[in-house]
Amino acid sequence: MQTNFNTPLTLLNQLTAEQFLAEYWQKKPLLIRQAIPGFTGLLDANDLAGLACEDEVQSRLVQLNKGQWQVTHGPMSEKTFKRLPEKDWTLLVQGVNHYLPEAADLLAQFSFIPHARLDDLMVSYAPDGGGVGPHLDSYDVFLLQGSGKRHWKISQQTDFTLIEDAPLRILKHFETEQAWVLEAGDMLYLPPQIAHWGVAVGDDCMTYSIGFRAPKAQELAHEFMHFMQDHIQLDGIYQDPDLTLQAHPAEISSHMVNKVSQTLKAITWDDALVGRFLGHYLTDPKPHIVFDPPRKISLKLFSQRLSQTTLHLALASQMLCWQDAFYLNGDALTVPVALIPYLKTLADQRYLDCSTLTTEQLSELANTLYDAYLAGYVLMNEELE
């Protein structure tokens, strides 16, 4: 069930989603006491350490040892954890929502921000004194406190000088402007480029970071040019019937440069093409993500089973739509017009109750998503972990 974002939300300090977007999003920080009352976390330290030991999970161990920052990249081992000191270290695990259904449910509470902007849920664990140093991010983040306490300091400083040779982008100078201690259920929203520094207070501090994508302009341009290779077709060949003698045969003439320049000006794009690009680009899984295909079944059996189940996106799947076009994990889907409302429900809510569909609709849905099912992108209710 979708949340009514026209009503004040505890998650947003009793602001409506519209008020939050207008007054705070990418503008200024917001401290929210008891954003999720009773929230103490989704997993414990041992569960998080277990995830960090898995090959497909991205994790980092950050330590401050005798004034020097050290970073170890996962997968971790039990020996690594046994050698850790009692304080001054942090374990960070990315993409927890790809492995924990409860984490995906937590992210659903932030659906007032478009799915196209969501990155992932990172969970950190730290004993007393643990943190990753003063730093700033280029993206928006909600810092939700699970178990324990964390002391946060923030600054809107403009001095972004970094510590040289550090394995992390740690600010060399930090001037505290505001500070709070967050306890279980409290949350701090930070827009991009706000310097912040969080330190665990006492034992078993776990923080849930809901981060949002902010691709660099250069990355967008690079990926779009790569996308354009398969979507442009220029006619003709280079011709120069008016060629004249050159004093230097090795010189590229201004005449040739001008001709090629005029040819390249024929490369154009519109919003429709950019929308298609974003559909592919924003849903394309990160390189480390692996899907687990189910036991292969026939299209007929898949269609029959759909009538008795709820269809879910796999935890690591990303599904977006541009107008009436749909994209799932980098692939464009061919969707019959009659199914568009149902596919939008699947994309918005990440699940679709198929019991209300007609026999014809179920057949069309099976044809549309059969390949995605065989790839492990969508799951039936009984296949959820």
Side-chain angles (χ1 to χ4, degrees):
M1 181 179 295
Q2 290 184 307
T3 304
N4 181 0
F5 293 124
N6 292 321
T7 60
L9 301 174
T10 302
L11 186 70
L12 297 176
N13 211 29
Q14 299 305 318
L15 297 170
T16 66
E18 185 176 16
Q19 288 174 319
F20 172 78
L21 294 177
E23 298 175 25
Y24 291 93
W25 178 255
Q26 298 215 323
K27 301 174 186 68
K28 58 184 179 181
L30 176 64
L31 173 68
I32 307 162
R33 294 294 187 187
Q34 290 302 288
I36 304 181
F39 180 81
T40 57
L42 305 177
L43 68 175
D44 61 24
N46 289 329
D47 294 330
L48 192 68
L51 274 178
C53 293
E54 299 292 334
D55 289 340
E56 68 274 16
V57 178
Q58 291 186 316
S59 61
R60 291 170 292 162
L61 185 63
V62 180
Q63 294 176 263
L64 182 60
N65 185 12
K66 297 179 181 179
Q68 298 296 315
W69 291 97
Q70 300 173 352
V71 177
T72 302
H73 292 273
M76 306 298 170
S77 68
E78 291 186 14
K79 291 182 179 179
T80 300
F81 293 119
K82 288 180 180 179
R83 291 195 297 262
L84 288 171
E86 293 184 359
K87 58 184 299 184
D88 296 335
W89 58 268
T90 297
L91 174 66
L92 306 115
V93 178
Q94 298 284 160
V96 173
N97 52 300
H98 295 165
Y99 311 101
L100 196 68
E102 296 84 354
D105 293 339
L106 174 63
L107 292 185
Q109 297 191 50
F110 295 84
S111 290
F112 52 89
I113 307 298
H115 294 342
R117 292 284 272 111
L118 179 66
D119 190 2
D120 70 353
L121 174 68
M122 181 183 75
V123 180
S124 67
Y125 170 86
D128 189 46
V132 297
H135 64 284
L136 50 85
D137 298 317
S138 59
Y139 52 84
D140 303 83
V141 64
F142 290 91
L143 300 163
L144 173 64
Q145 189 63 28
S147 60
K149 301 178 182 180
R150 187 176 290 273
H151 183 215
W152 283 105
K153 296 182 285 187
I154 69 170
S155 173
Q156 300 193 50
Q157 64 191 56
T158 56
D159 181 357
F160 298 153
T161 306
L162 302 177
I163 296 177
E164 297 179 1
D165 301 323
L168 297 167
R169 295 176 60 83
I170 299 173
L171 294 170
K172 191 172 184 178
H173 308 289
F174 183 84
E175 300 178 3
T176 302
E177 294 178 355
Q178 292 178 283
W180 310 274
V181 173
L182 269 64
E183 301 186 27
D186 294 342
M187 186 167 70
L188 177 62
Y189 162 72
L190 294 176
Q193 305 301 314
I194 297 292
H196 52 287
W197 189 357
V199 178
V201 179
D203 294 331
D204 297 327
C205 170
M206 296 188 72
T207 302
Y208 293 70
S209 302
I210 298 94
F212 294 84
R213 293 185 72 165
K216 293 182 179 179
Q218 181 62 29
E219 178 185 343
L220 283 171
H222 178 271
E223 294 298 329
F224 182 64
M225 290 298 106
H226 181 74
F227 173 82
M228 286 288 285
Q229 293 180 50
D230 299 323
H231 294 83
I232 58 174
Q233 181 65 51
L234 301 182
D235 297 327
I237 61 173
Y238 181 83
Q239 296 177 313
D240 52 3
D242 51 352
L243 181 65
T244 59
L245 290 172
Q246 295 182 188
H248 301 285
E251 180 182 8
I252 299 173
S253 69
S254 58
H255 181 66
M256 185 178 193
V257 169
N258 181 260
K259 273 185 169 292
V260 173
S261 178
Q262 292 302 315
T263 298
L264 296 180
K265 287 179 180 179
I267 301 174
T268 60
W269 57 84
D270 55 18
D271 285 353
L273 190 60
V274 173
R276 289 168 59 194
F277 157 67
L278 288 174
H280 288 282
Y281 168 68
L282 293 175
T283 64
D284 195 29
K286 295 178 181 178
H288 70 280
I289 292 177
V290 178
F291 291 91
D292 186 18
R295 182 177 62 86
K296 188 172 182 179
I297 61 175
S298 67
L299 175 60
K300 181 179 180 181
L301 182 56
F302 177 57
S303 181
Q304 290 173 348
R305 289 185 178 177
L306 281 180
S307 65
Q308 304 167 7
T309 192
T310 296
L311 198 64
H312 298 259
L313 295 180
L315 291 177
S317 284
Q318 175 71 298
M319 185 176 183
L320 299 173
C321 59
W322 153 248
Q323 295 180 342
D324 290 336
F326 291 83
Y327 303 85
L328 176 60
N329 294 339
D331 296 330
L333 299 176
T334 301
V335 180
V337 173
L339 283 187
I340 287 175
Y342 300 101
L343 267 292
K344 286 192 175 180
T345 297
L346 177 61
D348 284 343
Q349 299 185 357
R350 299 186 61 84
Y351 68 88
L352 174 66
D353 181 358
C354 301
S355 65
T356 61
L357 275 63
T358 66
T359 302
E360 182 179 354
Q361 289 171 334
L362 285 168
S363 177
E364 290 183 327
L365 183 65
N367 286 322
T368 300
L369 294 178
Y370 180 60
D371 289 340
Y373 172 73
L374 294 181
Y377 295 170
V378 294
L379 307 170
M380 288 183 278
N381 213 38
E382 58 272 22
E383 295 169 329
L384 294 177
E385 296 181 1

